[in-house]
mmCIF file with all atom_site columns, all heavy atoms in Angstrom:
data_model
loop_
_atom_site.group_PDB
_atom_site.id
_atom_site.type_symbol
_atom_site.label_atom_id
_atom_site.label_alt_id
_atom_site.label_comp_id
_atom_site.label_asym_id
_atom_site.label_entity_id
_atom_site.label_seq_id
_atom_site.pdbx_PDB_ins_code
_atom_site.Cartn_x
_atom_site.Cartn_y
_atom_site.Cartn_z
_atom_site.occupancy
_atom_site.B_iso_or_equiv
_atom_site.pdbx_formal_charge
_atom_site.auth_seq_id
_atom_site.auth_comp_id
_atom_site.auth_asym_id
_atom_site.auth_atom_id
_atom_site.pdbx_PDB_model_num
ATOM 1   N N     . ILE B 1 42 ? -79.256 -34.657 -125.980 1.00 78.00 ? 320 ILE B N     1
ATOM 2   C CA    . ILE B 1 42 ? -80.236 -34.761 -127.047 1.00 78.00 ? 320 ILE B CA    1
ATOM 3   C C     . ILE B 1 42 ? -81.445 -33.947 -126.717 1.00 78.00 ? 320 ILE B C     1
ATOM 4   O O     . ILE B 1 42 ? -82.065 -34.119 -125.663 1.00 78.00 ? 320 ILE B O     1
ATOM 5   C CB    . ILE B 1 42 ? -80.644 -36.233 -127.254 1.00 78.00 ? 320 ILE B CB    1
ATOM 6   C CG1   . ILE B 1 42 ? -79.568 -36.958 -128.042 1.00 78.00 ? 320 ILE B CG1   1
ATOM 7   C CG2   . ILE B 1 42 ? -81.963 -36.338 -127.976 1.00 78.00 ? 320 ILE B CG2   1
ATOM 8   C CD1   . ILE B 1 42 ? -79.115 -36.145 -129.237 1.00 78.00 ? 320 ILE B CD1   1
ATOM 9   N N     . CYS B 1 43 ? -81.783 -33.032 -127.555 1.00 72.00 ? 321 CYS B N     1
ATOM 10  C CA    . CYS B 1 43 ? -83.000 -32.224 -127.425 1.00 72.00 ? 321 CYS B CA    1
ATOM 11  C C     . CYS B 1 43 ? -84.038 -32.649 -128.345 1.00 72.00 ? 321 CYS B C     1
ATOM 12  O O     . CYS B 1 43 ? -84.388 -32.034 -129.367 1.00 72.00 ? 321 CYS B O     1
ATOM 13  C CB    . CYS B 1 43 ? -82.628 -30.749 -127.559 1.00 72.00 ? 321 CYS B CB    1
ATOM 14  S SG    . CYS B 1 43 ? -81.439 -30.131 -126.433 1.00 72.00 ? 321 CYS B SG    1
ATOM 15  N N     . GLY B 1 44 ? -84.620 -33.832 -128.039 1.00 75.00 ? 322 GLY B N     1
ATOM 16  C CA    . GLY B 1 44 ? -85.794 -34.307 -128.754 1.00 75.00 ? 322 GLY B CA    1
ATOM 17  C C     . GLY B 1 44 ? -85.742 -34.328 -130.210 1.00 75.00 ? 322 GLY B C     1
ATOM 18  O O     . GLY B 1 44 ? -86.767 -34.049 -130.853 1.00 75.00 ? 322 GLY B O     1
ATOM 19  N N     . GLY B 1 72 ? -83.231 -35.034 -117.584 1.00 92.00 ? 350 GLY B N     1
ATOM 20  C CA    . GLY B 1 72 ? -83.552 -34.076 -118.581 1.00 92.00 ? 350 GLY B CA    1
ATOM 21  C C     . GLY B 1 72 ? -83.546 -32.626 -117.958 1.00 92.00 ? 350 GLY B C     1
ATOM 22  O O     . GLY B 1 72 ? -83.979 -32.398 -116.876 1.00 92.00 ? 350 GLY B O     1
ATOM 23  N N     . THR B 1 73 ? -82.893 -31.747 -118.747 1.00 92.00 ? 351 THR B N     1
ATOM 24  C CA    . THR B 1 73 ? -82.881 -30.368 -118.261 1.00 92.00 ? 351 THR B CA    1
ATOM 25  C C     . THR B 1 73 ? -83.563 -29.493 -119.296 1.00 92.00 ? 351 THR B C     1
ATOM 26  O O     . THR B 1 73 ? -83.364 -29.639 -120.469 1.00 92.00 ? 351 THR B O     1
ATOM 27  C CB    . THR B 1 73 ? -81.424 -29.829 -118.079 1.00 92.00 ? 351 THR B CB    1
ATOM 28  O OG1   . THR B 1 73 ? -80.742 -30.099 -119.261 1.00 92.00 ? 351 THR B OG1   1
ATOM 29  C CG2   . THR B 1 73 ? -80.726 -30.618 -116.935 1.00 92.00 ? 351 THR B CG2   1
ATOM 30  N N     . ILE B 1 74 ? -84.380 -28.588 -118.794 1.00 91.00 ? 352 ILE B N     1
ATOM 31  C CA    . ILE B 1 74 ? -85.155 -27.763 -119.706 1.00 91.00 ? 352 ILE B CA    1
ATOM 32  C C     . ILE B 1 74 ? -84.229 -26.668 -120.328 1.00 91.00 ? 352 ILE B C     1
ATOM 33  O O     . ILE B 1 74 ? -83.418 -26.062 -119.611 1.00 91.00 ? 352 ILE B O     1
ATOM 34  C CB    . ILE B 1 74 ? -86.306 -27.058 -118.902 1.00 91.00 ? 352 ILE B CB    1
ATOM 35  C CG1   . ILE B 1 74 ? -87.252 -28.127 -118.408 1.00 91.00 ? 352 ILE B CG1   1
ATOM 36  C CG2   . ILE B 1 74 ? -87.078 -26.051 -119.801 1.00 91.00 ? 352 ILE B CG2   1
ATOM 37  C CD1   . ILE B 1 74 ? -88.281 -27.590 -117.430 1.00 91.00 ? 352 ILE B CD1   1
ATOM 38  N N     . GLU B 1 75 ? -84.337 -26.631 -121.614 1.00 89.00 ? 353 GLU B N     1
ATOM 39  C CA    . GLU B 1 75 ? -83.441 -25.674 -122.363 1.00 89.00 ? 353 GLU B CA    1
ATOM 40  C C     . GLU B 1 75 ? -84.408 -24.833 -123.269 1.00 89.00 ? 353 GLU B C     1
ATOM 41  O O     . GLU B 1 75 ? -84.546 -25.086 -124.436 1.00 89.00 ? 353 GLU B O     1
ATOM 42  C CB    . GLU B 1 75 ? -82.509 -26.521 -123.199 1.00 89.00 ? 353 GLU B CB    1
ATOM 43  C CG    . GLU B 1 75 ? -81.393 -25.767 -123.922 1.00 89.00 ? 353 GLU B CG    1
ATOM 44  C CD    . GLU B 1 75 ? -80.147 -25.884 -123.051 1.00 89.00 ? 353 GLU B CD    1
ATOM 45  O OE1   . GLU B 1 75 ? -80.183 -26.542 -121.967 1.00 89.00 ? 353 GLU B OE1   1
ATOM 46  O OE2   . GLU B 1 75 ? -79.149 -25.244 -123.452 1.00 89.00 ? 353 GLU B OE2   1
ATOM 47  N N     . VAL B 1 77 ? -87.534 -23.879 -124.896 1.00 91.00 ? 355 VAL B N     1
ATOM 48  C CA    . VAL B 1 77 ? -88.790 -24.669 -125.149 1.00 91.00 ? 355 VAL B CA    1
ATOM 49  C C     . VAL B 1 77 ? -88.535 -26.105 -125.155 1.00 91.00 ? 355 VAL B C     1
ATOM 50  O O     . VAL B 1 77 ? -89.442 -26.931 -124.870 1.00 91.00 ? 355 VAL B O     1
ATOM 51  C CB    . VAL B 1 77 ? -89.288 -24.250 -126.610 1.00 91.00 ? 355 VAL B CB    1
ATOM 52  C CG1   . VAL B 1 77 ? -90.619 -24.864 -126.832 1.00 91.00 ? 355 VAL B CG1   1
ATOM 53  C CG2   . VAL B 1 77 ? -89.411 -22.761 -126.717 1.00 91.00 ? 355 VAL B CG2   1
ATOM 54  N N     . SER B 1 78 ? -87.316 -26.562 -125.422 1.00 92.00 ? 356 SER B N     1
ATOM 55  C CA    . SER B 1 78 ? -87.080 -27.979 -125.531 1.00 92.00 ? 356 SER B CA    1
ATOM 56  C C     . SER B 1 78 ? -86.420 -28.549 -124.259 1.00 92.00 ? 356 SER B C     1
ATOM 57  O O     . SER B 1 78 ? -86.132 -27.795 -123.301 1.00 92.00 ? 356 SER B O     1
ATOM 58  C CB    . SER B 1 78 ? -86.265 -28.303 -126.752 1.00 92.00 ? 356 SER B CB    1
ATOM 59  O OG    . SER B 1 78 ? -85.224 -27.327 -126.883 1.00 92.00 ? 356 SER B OG    1
ATOM 60  N N     . VAL B 1 79 ? -86.249 -29.832 -124.274 1.00 94.00 ? 357 VAL B N     1
ATOM 61  C CA    . VAL B 1 79 ? -85.620 -30.511 -123.080 1.00 94.00 ? 357 VAL B CA    1
ATOM 62  C C     . VAL B 1 79 ? -84.453 -31.311 -123.589 1.00 94.00 ? 357 VAL B C     1
ATOM 63  O O     . VAL B 1 79 ? -84.537 -32.005 -124.583 1.00 94.00 ? 357 VAL B O     1
ATOM 64  C CB    . VAL B 1 79 ? -86.596 -31.457 -122.372 1.00 94.00 ? 357 VAL B CB    1
ATOM 65  C CG1   . VAL B 1 79 ? -86.008 -32.083 -121.144 1.00 94.00 ? 357 VAL B CG1   1
ATOM 66  C CG2   . VAL B 1 79 ? -87.854 -30.608 -121.942 1.00 94.00 ? 357 VAL B CG2   1
ATOM 67  N N     . CYS B 1 80 ? -83.329 -31.180 -122.841 1.00 93.00 ? 358 CYS B N     1
ATOM 68  C CA    . CYS B 1 80 ? -82.144 -31.965 -123.246 1.00 93.00 ? 358 CYS B CA    1
ATOM 69  C C     . CYS B 1 80 ? -82.003 -33.189 -122.275 1.00 93.00 ? 358 CYS B C     1
ATOM 70  O O     . CYS B 1 80 ? -82.083 -33.048 -121.082 1.00 93.00 ? 358 CYS B O     1
ATOM 71  C CB    . CYS B 1 80 ? -80.859 -31.043 -123.029 1.00 93.00 ? 358 CYS B CB    1
ATOM 72  S SG    . CYS B 1 80 ? -80.798 -29.818 -124.320 1.00 93.00 ? 358 CYS B SG    1
ATOM 73  N N     . TYR B 1 81 ? -81.818 -34.317 -122.921 1.00 94.00 ? 359 TYR B N     1
ATOM 74  C CA    . TYR B 1 81 ? -81.634 -35.540 -122.175 1.00 94.00 ? 359 TYR B CA    1
ATOM 75  C C     . TYR B 1 81 ? -80.239 -36.068 -122.236 1.00 94.00 ? 359 TYR B C     1
ATOM 76  O O     . TYR B 1 81 ? -79.609 -35.966 -123.314 1.00 94.00 ? 359 TYR B O     1
ATOM 77  C CB    . TYR B 1 81 ? -82.628 -36.575 -122.715 1.00 94.00 ? 359 TYR B CB    1
ATOM 78  C CG    . TYR B 1 81 ? -84.016 -36.279 -122.420 1.00 94.00 ? 359 TYR B CG    1
ATOM 79  C CD1   . TYR B 1 81 ? -84.853 -35.664 -123.348 1.00 94.00 ? 359 TYR B CD1   1
ATOM 80  C CD2   . TYR B 1 81 ? -84.568 -36.532 -121.102 1.00 94.00 ? 359 TYR B CD2   1
ATOM 81  C CE1   . TYR B 1 81 ? -86.175 -35.404 -123.064 1.00 94.00 ? 359 TYR B CE1   1
ATOM 82  C CE2   . TYR B 1 81 ? -85.902 -36.206 -120.849 1.00 94.00 ? 359 TYR B CE2   1
ATOM 83  C CZ    . TYR B 1 81 ? -86.662 -35.648 -121.786 1.00 94.00 ? 359 TYR B CZ    1
ATOM 84  O OH    . TYR B 1 81 ? -87.952 -35.341 -121.528 1.00 94.00 ? 359 TYR B OH    1
ATOM 85  P P     . DA  D 2 6  ? -89.780 -27.129 -132.628 1.00 80.28 ? 263 DA  D P     1
ATOM 86  O OP1   . DA  D 2 6  ? -88.345 -27.214 -132.916 1.00 80.28 ? 263 DA  D OP1   1
ATOM 87  O OP2   . DA  D 2 6  ? -90.771 -27.873 -133.509 1.00 80.28 ? 263 DA  D OP2   1
ATOM 88  O "O5'" . DA  D 2 6  ? -89.985 -27.620 -131.105 1.00 80.28 ? 263 DA  D "O5'" 1
ATOM 89  C "C5'" . DA  D 2 6  ? -89.261 -26.981 -130.061 1.00 80.28 ? 263 DA  D "C5'" 1
ATOM 90  C "C4'" . DA  D 2 6  ? -89.586 -27.613 -128.735 1.00 80.28 ? 263 DA  D "C4'" 1
ATOM 91  O "O4'" . DA  D 2 6  ? -90.939 -27.251 -128.361 1.00 80.28 ? 263 DA  D "O4'" 1
ATOM 92  C "C3'" . DA  D 2 6  ? -89.560 -29.159 -128.775 1.00 80.28 ? 263 DA  D "C3'" 1
ATOM 93  O "O3'" . DA  D 2 6  ? -88.855 -29.584 -127.708 1.00 80.28 ? 263 DA  D "O3'" 1
ATOM 94  C "C2'" . DA  D 2 6  ? -91.038 -29.546 -128.710 1.00 80.28 ? 263 DA  D "C2'" 1
ATOM 95  C "C1'" . DA  D 2 6  ? -91.626 -28.392 -127.999 1.00 80.28 ? 263 DA  D "C1'" 1
ATOM 96  N N9    . DA  D 2 6  ? -93.088 -28.201 -128.266 1.00 80.28 ? 263 DA  D N9    1
ATOM 97  C C8    . DA  D 2 6  ? -93.669 -28.232 -129.526 1.00 80.28 ? 263 DA  D C8    1
ATOM 98  N N7    . DA  D 2 6  ? -94.953 -27.966 -129.491 1.00 80.28 ? 263 DA  D N7    1
ATOM 99  C C5    . DA  D 2 6  ? -95.183 -27.734 -128.151 1.00 80.28 ? 263 DA  D C5    1
ATOM 100 C C6    . DA  D 2 6  ? -96.388 -27.427 -127.423 1.00 80.28 ? 263 DA  D C6    1
ATOM 101 N N6    . DA  D 2 6  ? -97.571 -27.264 -128.007 1.00 80.28 ? 263 DA  D N6    1
ATOM 102 N N1    . DA  D 2 6  ? -96.286 -27.298 -126.085 1.00 80.28 ? 263 DA  D N1    1
ATOM 103 C C2    . DA  D 2 6  ? -95.079 -27.479 -125.481 1.00 80.28 ? 263 DA  D C2    1
ATOM 104 N N3    . DA  D 2 6  ? -93.959 -27.730 -126.071 1.00 80.28 ? 263 DA  D N3    1
ATOM 105 C C4    . DA  D 2 6  ? -94.021 -27.873 -127.376 1.00 80.28 ? 263 DA  D C4    1
ATOM 106 P P     . DT  D 2 7  ? -88.477 -31.224 -127.583 1.00 80.28 ? 264 DT  D P     1
ATOM 107 O OP1   . DT  D 2 7  ? -87.130 -31.354 -127.044 1.00 80.28 ? 264 DT  D OP1   1
ATOM 108 O OP2   . DT  D 2 7  ? -88.861 -31.827 -128.844 1.00 80.28 ? 264 DT  D OP2   1
ATOM 109 O "O5'" . DT  D 2 7  ? -89.507 -31.599 -126.405 1.00 80.28 ? 264 DT  D "O5'" 1
ATOM 110 C "C5'" . DT  D 2 7  ? -89.345 -31.021 -125.192 1.00 80.28 ? 264 DT  D "C5'" 1
ATOM 111 C "C4'" . DT  D 2 7  ? -90.654 -31.243 -124.314 1.00 80.28 ? 264 DT  D "C4'" 1
ATOM 112 O "O4'" . DT  D 2 7  ? -91.808 -30.767 -125.051 1.00 80.28 ? 264 DT  D "O4'" 1
ATOM 113 C "C3'" . DT  D 2 7  ? -90.920 -32.668 -124.019 1.00 80.28 ? 264 DT  D "C3'" 1
ATOM 114 O "O3'" . DT  D 2 7  ? -90.707 -32.868 -122.583 1.00 80.28 ? 264 DT  D "O3'" 1
ATOM 115 C "C2'" . DT  D 2 7  ? -92.315 -32.927 -124.403 1.00 80.28 ? 264 DT  D "C2'" 1
ATOM 116 C "C1'" . DT  D 2 7  ? -92.905 -31.481 -124.601 1.00 80.28 ? 264 DT  D "C1'" 1
ATOM 117 N N1    . DT  D 2 7  ? -93.995 -31.311 -125.507 1.00 80.28 ? 264 DT  D N1    1
ATOM 118 C C2    . DT  D 2 7  ? -95.205 -30.944 -124.962 1.00 80.28 ? 264 DT  D C2    1
ATOM 119 O O2    . DT  D 2 7  ? -95.381 -30.699 -123.772 1.00 80.28 ? 264 DT  D O2    1
ATOM 120 N N3    . DT  D 2 7  ? -96.236 -30.807 -125.901 1.00 80.28 ? 264 DT  D N3    1
ATOM 121 C C4    . DT  D 2 7  ? -96.144 -31.011 -127.203 1.00 80.28 ? 264 DT  D C4    1
ATOM 122 O O4    . DT  D 2 7  ? -97.127 -30.864 -127.982 1.00 80.28 ? 264 DT  D O4    1
ATOM 123 C C5    . DT  D 2 7  ? -94.864 -31.428 -127.747 1.00 80.28 ? 264 DT  D C5    1
ATOM 124 C C7    . DT  D 2 7  ? -94.674 -31.724 -129.172 1.00 80.28 ? 264 DT  D C7    1
ATOM 125 C C6    . DT  D 2 7  ? -93.877 -31.602 -126.835 1.00 80.28 ? 264 DT  D C6    1
#
Side-chain angles (χ1 to χ4, degrees):
Chain B
I320 281 313
C321 301
T351 54
I352 298 170
E353 191 93 4
V355 187
S356 41
V357 180
C358 289
Y359 290 99

